[in-house]
Amino acid sequence: MPLEKYSIISGSGSYIPARIVTNADFIDHVFYDQNGEKLEKSSEEIVDKFENITGIRERRYVTDDLVASDIAFFAAREALVSAGISGEDLDYIIVAHNFGDVGADTFRSDMVPSLASRVKHLLGINNPAAVAYDLPFGCPGWLQGIIQADGYIRAGIATNVLVIGTETLSRVCDPHDRDSMIYADGAGAVVLTAVESDTPVGILACTQKTYATDLAYLLRMAKSYAPDYPGDRIFLKMNGRKLYEYALKLVPVAIKECIEKAALSIHDVEMVLIHQANHKMDEAIIKQLFLMYGEKQVPDNFMPMTISWLGNSSVATLPTLYDLLIKGSIPDHALNNNDLIVFASVGAGININAVVYKTPGKIR
């Protein structure tokens, strides 16, 4: 068979912030609903119910001296070492995020210059042909960057692409909104590299959707739910119930479509790496996916999870999950040669995407 060009992940890295914030740290918060009414249940009851629904026990926040571009740099540096290449060998640097660098002193988004240019600067890359740009696409931003990078590689205009997901959601959290307990900070990165193969390997198929007619504002920015919150600062807000409903309806369809594009079945897939947004929601999505194939039972260890201890770090969840998985840091889960896996994500926009990926014969 003739050789064809494919994209494989040649290296990965992540940065997990040192500061651990447990659910108990929210007990002294006063929570309000979207109408500015104080919630009747005690904070203890609210926190306990939150953990039961989301599966989150703790999350990580960055220290005050760090911003998103800093932790993106840490993850990127590790990914380059893992891939065994220099930053000078890169053709593109794609940084997925949603809020830019939000300082602990101002809480304002700073996106000029782009975070990608900041990361390139921190990496000390001199090559002007290493094009750096940002990608705001909600939580699926990192996976969308992977899809774009694969396009560059297949088109023959790139050999190595660094794709980073970085976010400091702790700095856009309303302390009076119970949904804010979901959010976390972190960064993850991979190097996507071109290879030639006579059998399919690496990225085999992708699906991408935007539902902006009725769902565009399920996640948005707005003032604190606390009616007497000082100043005009705005925070990330989410219609969690509706997002859950539509994610359960739309994400399994997108994943199935992607698997079918690769001429595969769910029975060929070893595991799904899904955006770590809500444990129960993710479990329901995977269960619904299997039901679409006439299967009532999801195999054990099919969906590795990190949300219980890392929370939802938006664009960083998938690359961090992959990096931990490839390093053997997730109990009862391992990636082997020639495994078929699926990446999937859903988030603001409402954007949904999925990628079918076959691990190469030699992962490292």
Side-chain angles (χ1 to χ4, degrees), residues 35-46:
N35 299 314
E37 298 291 333
K38 185 179 176 181
L39 298 182
E40 293 182 1
K41 291 183 178 179
S42 69
S43 294
E44 289 88 346
E45 290 178 287
I46 292 169

Side-chain angles (χ1 to χ4, degrees), residues 23-320:
N23 289 348
D25 292 317
F26 292 90
I27 294 296
D28 61 351
H29 286 221
V30 178
F31 295 107
Y32 296 82
D33 64 18
Q34 60 184 0
N35 299 314
E37 298 291 333
K38 185 179 176 181
L39 298 182
E40 293 182 1
K41 291 183 178 179
S42 69
S43 294
E44 289 88 346
E45 290 178 287
I46 292 169
V47 170
D48 286 345
K49 185 177 180 180
F50 165 84
E51 182 173 334
N52 182 55
I53 292 173
T54 66
I56 299 172
R57 296 192 300 270
E58 60 187 42
R59 72 286 293 144
R60 302 297 181 101
Y61 288 175
V62 294
T63 50
D64 288 351
D65 58 314
L66 296 174
V67 289
S69 60
D70 292 323
I71 62 176
F73 160 64
F74 299 150
R77 181 176 56 187
E78 187 177 312
L80 289 172
V81 171
S82 173
I85 67 169
S86 162
E88 305 295 338
D89 298 321
L90 294 172
D91 298 291
Y92 288 92
I93 301 167
I94 304 172
V95 178
H97 66 90
N98 297 291
F99 299 100
D101 280 350
V102 182
D105 52 346
T106 66
F107 297 107
R108 294 177 181 172
S109 293
D110 176 5
M111 301 186 192
V112 180
S114 70
L115 267 63
S117 286
R118 298 179 195 202
V119 171
K120 183 177 179 180
H121 171 78
L122 289 168
L123 289 170
I125 299 172
N126 294 312
N127 179 12
V131 177
Y133 68 89
D134 290 3
L135 179 56
F137 194 73
C139 290
W142 174 82
L143 194 54
Q144 193 66 20
I146 290 292
I147 293 170
Q148 290 185 3
D150 178 57
Y152 293 142
I153 287 172
R154 288 179 182 272
I157 59 176
T159 300
N160 294 298
V161 183
L162 176 62
V163 186
I164 308 166
T166 185
E167 201 66 87
T168 54
L169 292 180
S170 65
R171 293 182 183 158
V172 294
C173 287
D174 178 2
H176 302 289
D177 180 356
R178 56 188 164 183
D179 285 341
S180 288
M181 289 187 284
I182 293 173
Y183 305 127
D185 304 339
V190 303
V191 175
L192 212 62
T193 297
V195 297
E196 291 187 332
S197 175
D198 57 3
T199 57
V201 69
I203 295 178
L204 305 185
C206 68
T207 294
Q208 46 201 324
K209 309 284 185 182
T210 297
Y211 297 90
T213 305
D214 301 320
L215 309 181
Y217 290 93
L218 291 189
L219 287 107
R220 64 201 181 280
M221 301 301 291
K223 291 185 177 181
S224 172
Y225 283 169
D228 57 350
Y229 192 90
D232 57 359
R233 186 178 165 194
I234 57 175
F235 302 91
L236 178 60
K237 295 294 174 181
M238 174 177 63
N239 186 331
R241 185 180 299 274
K242 208 165 187 178
L243 180 61
Y244 187 107
E245 173 188 339
Y246 279 99
L248 184 56
K249 177 182 177 182
L250 299 172
V251 176
V253 174
I255 296 175
K256 188 172 187 288
E257 178 184 320
C258 191
I259 293 172
E260 290 175 348
K261 280 184 180 180
L264 299 168
S265 161
I266 191 64
H267 304 99
D268 300 308
V269 177
E270 297 294 332
M271 66 180 76
V272 170
L273 276 60
I274 194 166
H275 168 54
Q276 310 286 290
N278 176 316
H279 199 136
K280 281 196 173 180
M281 183 178 80
D282 288 347
E283 284 185 333
I285 287 171
I286 299 304
K287 183 177 181 180
Q288 182 61 29
L289 173 64
F290 271 82
L291 285 173
M292 294 171 70
Y293 284 91
E295 299 288 346
K296 294 183 179 180
Q297 189 70 32
V298 178
D300 292 339
N301 303 324
F302 189 78
M303 183 179 65
M305 298 295 289
T306 57
I307 193 169
S308 65
W309 62 288
L310 292 182
N312 175 0
S313 57
S314 184
V315 292
T317 67
L318 279 181
T320 300

Side-chain angles (χ1 to χ4, degrees), residues 8-9 201-202 322 336-339 357-363:
I8 67 165
I9 298 174
V201 69
Y322 175 85
N336 300 304
N337 297 339
N338 300 310
D339 275 353
Y357 182 81
K358 183 179 181 181
T359 60
K362 184 179 180 182
I363 296 175

